[in-house]
Amino acid sequence: MSEEIEKVKCLIIGSGPAGYTAAIYASRANLNPVLYQGMQPGGQLTTTNEVENFPGYPEGVTGPEMMMQLEAQAKRFDTDIRNGWVTKVDFSGDVHKVWVDDSKEIHAQTVIIATGASAKYLNLPSEQHYLKLGGGVSACAVCDGFFYRGQETVIVGAGDSACEEAHYLSNICTKVTMLVRRNEFRASKIMAERVQNTPNIEILYNTETEEILGENDLVTGVRVKNNQTGETKEIPCTGFFVAIGHTPNTQVFADYIDLDEQGYIKYAQPGTPKTNVAGVFVCGDAADRTYRQAITAAGTGCMAALEAERYIAAKGH
Ligand code: NDP
């Protein structure tokens, strides 16, 4: 039996830096926000070890700790934070209808989508093993590259992200080996040329990852295979970076919200968090294929809450 319909002024979907920042602003503006945390409370940062580039933490902070602090800050202003997964929406009318866990129905004046994106992984058991241990495997060079300074790293991927991250690592690490599964890059020519012309980046074409190797919980190398010759070899490294793309968590909105060809939500008005549906706003990685940083997510979360406030004020509610 379905529960009674709940009416809210501002519904925030997602609990990364974008969602919590939106919550802090919306609650301080008396929008009484309700925030659903989704599958991974705290979002992608909960899989990051140390965050050293978020302003205001001169000594750094762990990803999970930062997310607990953001949650506590949102709670301090009485954001109603709940566990739950949005399974259906109907944005066809003036009232935005959202269903949580296939049962609870919510009617929201404004909705802030902060569902983020998920990094893709190779899904090799050894990759997942070291990822869960929290050292040696990462999907974010800008976040974690610094921990491998002066060391050798391997990065898999051949798109713009992989090129950007390989170049970033090349400034920190002694050597970066790039694994490209075809005999060419997917990245734009200029980005590919930049890595091809960087002396401490070695590119292995037609090469796939077989296994991440390690000792005592630390990564020591990668075994790779040339998919043309069948030859395998081991590359020593202490860090393995995966840069094979992200999947934005936006499919549930696809019938109503304009998405680009990769599923990122399109801004209806660049420079604002507005979507094509009035009263529905987006922030963070769900609409950001380029920057994907905690600080940019937080910034857009603030913008989304300010726009939600304006929308409600203009409606005279
Ligand atoms: P892309 O989807 O463009 O590239 C993914 C890359 O990963 C491809 O080279 C793909 O190989 C490879 N890959 C996928 N799965 C595997 C696998 N299982 N094993 C090995 N390799 C794999 O993702 P990006 O994140 O690089 O870019 C996403 C979008 O963001 C693009 O539109 C890009 O242009 C844009 N972007 C722009 C930037 C900029 O302009 N500064 C910076 C970063 C991103 P294959 O080619 O064989 O399919």
Side-chain angles (χ1 to χ4, degrees), residues 122 156-161 164 181-182 186 244-245 262 289:
L122 300 172
V156 57
D160 282 332
S161 296
E164 203 164 72
R181 68 176 172 184
R182 291 184 292 135
R186 177 178 293 277
I244 60 171
Q262 286 174 15
R289 61 157 77 191

Side-chain angles (χ1 to χ4, degrees), residues 203-221:
I203 301 161
L204 301 180
Y205 293 95
N206 298 314
T207 300
E208 293 177 36
T209 313
E210 278 203 337
E211 193 181 352
I212 317 303
L213 309 167
E215 259 171 42
N216 302 328
D217 297 346
L218 292 174
V219 167
T220 56

Side-chain angles (χ1 to χ4, degrees), residues 44 85 113-120 245-253 259-266 282 284-289 292:
Q44 286 185 78
W85 180 248
I113 300 172
T115 46
S118 306
K120 291 182 191 163
H246 286 75
T247 309
N249 304 317
T250 55
Q251 275 316 304
V252 73
F253 310 110
L259 309 179
D260 72 12
E261 66 286 353
Q262 286 174 15
Y264 288 93
I265 293 177
K266 286 187 187 170
V282 61
D285 288 11
D288 177 8
R289 61 157 77 191
R292 299 196 287 247

Side-chain angles (χ1 to χ4, degrees), residues 65-83:
E65 193 185 336
M66 189 169 111
M67 295 323 299
M68 282 192 297
Q69 289 180 349
L70 280 175
E71 181 178 342
Q73 196 172 349
K75 277 190 179 151
R76 183 182 150 203
F77 302 110
D78 295 330
T79 300
D80 185 346
I81 296 172
R82 304 175 186 173
N83 288 313

Side-chain angles (χ1 to χ4, degrees), residues 16-22 25 54-55 70 112 267 271-273 282-285 288 293-307:
Y20 282 135
T21 305
Y25 274 78
F54 198 97
L70 280 175
I112 296 178
Y267 286 118
T272 78
V282 61
C283 50
D285 288 11
D288 177 8
Q293 298 301 299
I295 187 68
T296 50
T300 53
C302 158
M303 290 159 69
L306 292 176
E307 285 297 340

Side-chain angles (χ1 to χ4, degrees), residues 221-240:
V222 181
R223 191 174 67 248
V224 300
K225 183 178 185 177
N226 183 305
N227 56 29
Q228 300 299 302
T229 63
E231 186 197 340
T232 61
K233 68 173 176 176
E234 290 183 9
I235 307 168
C237 69
T238 49
F240 180 73

Side-chain angles (χ1 to χ4, degrees), residues 121 133 167 180 184 302:
Y121 288 94
L133 284 177
H167 193 257
V180 175
E184 61 179 0
C302 158

